[in-house]
Amino acid sequence: MHHFHYTADSLQCETVDLSAVAQLYGTPTYVYSAATMADNYQRLVRSLAGLDVQVCYAAKANSSLAVLRHFANLGAGFDLVSGGEIRRALAAGAGVKTSVFAGVGKTESEIKLALENEIFAFHVESEPELARINHVAGKLGVKAPIAIRVNPDVDAHTHAKITTGKSENKFGIPLKHASAAYEACSRFKNVRIRGVQMHIGSQLTTVGPFVEAVEKVAPFVAELQAAHGIEYFSLGGGIGIVYRDALASGAQAWWDAQPAGQCPITPEAYGAALKSLLAPLGLKILLEPGRFLVGNAGALLARVEYLKRGANKNFLVLDAAFNDLVRPAMYESYHEIVPLRRDTTRRALVADIVGPICESGDCFAKDRQVQEVGEGEYMAFLSAGAYGFAMASRYNARTLAAEVMVRGGTFELVNARESFEQMIVNEKVPTFLK
Ligand SMILES: *Cc1c(COP(=O)(O)O)cnc(C)c1O
């Protein structure tokens, strides 16, 4: 469920007409639906009702201050992966006491920042990291709460760049070495074992791999509970969303296309499959969803600059490019691209939908059928709320897009479009070239 829909052939987010947003703030602009984020959050929490669940929203999917604050208000903590993300959580007025700090390369200053702000736990990826956390905690005179990330070696059946739970990935400690890693903690006087963590990958479209991973790890979790009295089990993130037919209600066509016997992922299916495996553990359950909470809650608005007609191919050139939304170029991913003003009387157009960047890779969609549109009209990329703005760059000296949040019939600019002056503020020509 999301709150992007046509009303009288105008694309709306909740009850805001997106053409009005595009006209007021220009393009490219990201628009987020507060109601969609809240609905996704509540649905996931409800799916595991009866268990002690803490959602730690994976801020890397979208770390805009407005989004972080919205989830904090709903009761979420965060899964944070850098000092910058910790500072973003603090800047959003959220605090990090129910948040976890993850990532394979935590620096001393990042560890210090997390400890000073009373992070709920560090998710540890290696023994050298454990030693470093112990060292920094000792200097501060505190005990650092930790969980070790175990790698269950299951195939998440997702894109190679976003699978993380196979033994060949750089993440976590193999399950067979995990006991030894926990034993090693006793050598570090300034750490305190608090839980155990796993994360198998992103954009999983069936519940099977989650079940397989929990079944594999659960006996070890029970052992840890007996040996170390742990408080929680973190299942990581990875719940996938529907990108195709994102506007169709329930995206039934996409579900119907999934292999028979595989349970397409929904929060309800996820909860139903995992509850009976998790309940006997009697532990707090941490969930770290990123994409699921924000993916379908965001759209990227773009303006049509040119319709370039060719002998064999048409190109629809937009003012958004892969610096704004890199997913199609990086993961060959699909986004629904629709006009803000729908006109069913117009002819269909088959075109490559591209941005202005000087690389062939700046292509959002090949041979896509859309309604015929022309210069000055607006298009929306749907399901662009996760790994969209968060992965944006300034390539081709393009400034970062604006961001707007909608709630009901109101909307506010939550991140002004970057200016050229802001883009170059830290740069200078060296004296020896003057
Ligand atoms: C990326 C990541 C997440 C979030 O993944 P989604 O697919 O966006 O849900 C959660 N936990 C960890 C450890 C991650 O690396």
Side-chain angles (χ1 to χ4, degrees), residues 58 60 79 149 197 199 201-203 236-239 288-291 387:
K60 73 173 191 274
D79 173 63
R149 176 169 178 178
Q197 204 271 342
H199 172 73
S202 198
Q203 183 54 14
I239 302 174
E288 303 167 357
R291 185 190 317 268
Y387 307 103

Side-chain angles (χ1 to χ4, degrees), residues 59 103 114 134 138 156 224 247 311:
N134 182 66
L224 283 178
L247 266 192

Side-chain angles (χ1 to χ4, degrees), residues 52-398:
D52 175 12
V53 171
Q54 173 67 54
V55 172
C56 291
Y57 162 60
K60 73 173 191 274
N62 185 330
S63 61
S64 299
L65 299 192
V67 172
L68 297 182
R69 180 58 176 264
H70 185 33
F71 282 114
N73 289 353
L74 288 165
F78 305 112
D79 173 63
L80 304 163
V81 293
S82 70
E85 284 191 357
I86 294 172
R87 297 192 62 180
R88 280 187 162 275
L90 298 171
V96 298
K97 288 179 187 169
T98 55
S99 298
V100 294
F101 184 22
V104 294
K106 302 174 190 77
T107 66
E108 279 205 22
S109 64
E110 289 175 323
I111 293 166
K112 182 163 178 278
L113 180 66
L115 285 170
E116 285 168 346
N117 289 285
E118 298 175 42
I119 197 94
F120 182 73
F122 290 86
H123 285 173
V124 177
E125 302 251 6
S126 67
E127 198 170 320
E129 181 192 327
L130 198 57
R132 182 180 282 181
I133 291 170
N134 182 66
H135 171 72
V136 178
K139 281 205 293 196
L140 293 177
V142 296
K143 267 192 186 299
I146 65 107
I148 290 177
R149 176 169 178 178
V150 300
N151 187 332
D153 194 20
V154 299
D155 192 340
H157 299 290
T158 184
H159 192 284
K161 283 184 186 158
I162 51 178
T163 188
T164 58
K166 287 286 289 168
S167 54
E168 65 262 32
N169 298 127
K170 70 181 173 186
F171 300 102
I173 289 176
L175 198 50
K176 63 174 185 288
H177 299 141
S179 273
Y182 273 94
E183 291 310 321
C185 290
S186 62
R187 289 193 282 109
F188 299 112
K189 297 299 166 221
N190 310 312
V191 304
R192 168 165 79 85
I193 296 169
R194 191 160 203 177
V196 59
Q197 204 271 342
M198 66 169 206
H199 172 73
I200 56 176
S202 198
Q203 183 54 14
L204 274 73
T205 54
T206 61
V207 294
F210 286 111
V211 172
E212 193 188 333
V214 170
E215 280 175 341
K216 258 178 128 169
V217 176
F220 176 65
V221 175
E223 264 173 52
L224 283 178
Q225 204 177 355
H228 302 284
I230 60 168
E231 284 169 53
Y232 77 91
F233 178 19
S234 165
L235 307 186
I239 302 174
I241 63 163
V242 173
Y243 284 99
R244 274 175 206 273
D245 301 323
L247 266 192
S249 83
Q252 195 60 47
W254 179 87
W255 281 9
D256 292 346
Q258 296 304 302
Q262 297 206 13
C263 183
I265 210 147
T266 60
E268 292 74 23
Y270 178 87
L274 296 181
K275 222 173 183 173
S276 61
L277 299 173
L278 297 173
L281 298 171
L283 291 172
K284 181 193 277 290
I285 300 300
L286 259 58
L287 304 176
E288 303 167 357
R291 185 190 317 268
F292 169 73
L293 292 179
V294 295
N296 70 357
L300 171 62
L301 310 185
R303 183 179 188 271
V304 176
E305 293 299 331
Y306 301 98
L307 171 56
K308 179 177 162 185
R309 290 188 189 273
N312 304 316
K313 227 181 204 334
N314 299 314
F315 294 94
L316 196 58
V317 186
L318 305 181
D319 69 350
F322 81 63
N323 73 299
D324 303 299
L325 178 64
V326 79
R327 297 189 65 258
M330 188 158 165
Y331 309 117
E332 292 146 15
S333 60
Y334 182 100
H335 283 273
E336 195 92 349
I337 306 169
V338 297
L340 294 197
R341 294 264 188 251
R342 188 169 63 180
D343 182 350
T344 48
T345 66
R346 290 200 207 169
R347 285 188 307 179
L349 170 75
V350 175
D352 282 11
I353 302 179
V354 303
I357 284 180
C358 302
E359 289 199 27
S360 318
D362 191 21
C363 180
F364 293 113
K366 288 215 182 298
D367 299 320
R368 185 70 67 88
Q369 183 171 322
V370 289
Q371 148 196 322
E372 199 170 73
V373 284
E375 183 187 334
E377 294 190 86
Y378 296 111
M379 306 288 283
F381 292 77
L382 300 177
S383 307
Y387 307 103
F389 186 88
M391 293 181 111
S393 77
R394 300 184 177 82
Y395 189 44
N396 273 214
R398 292 167 54 83

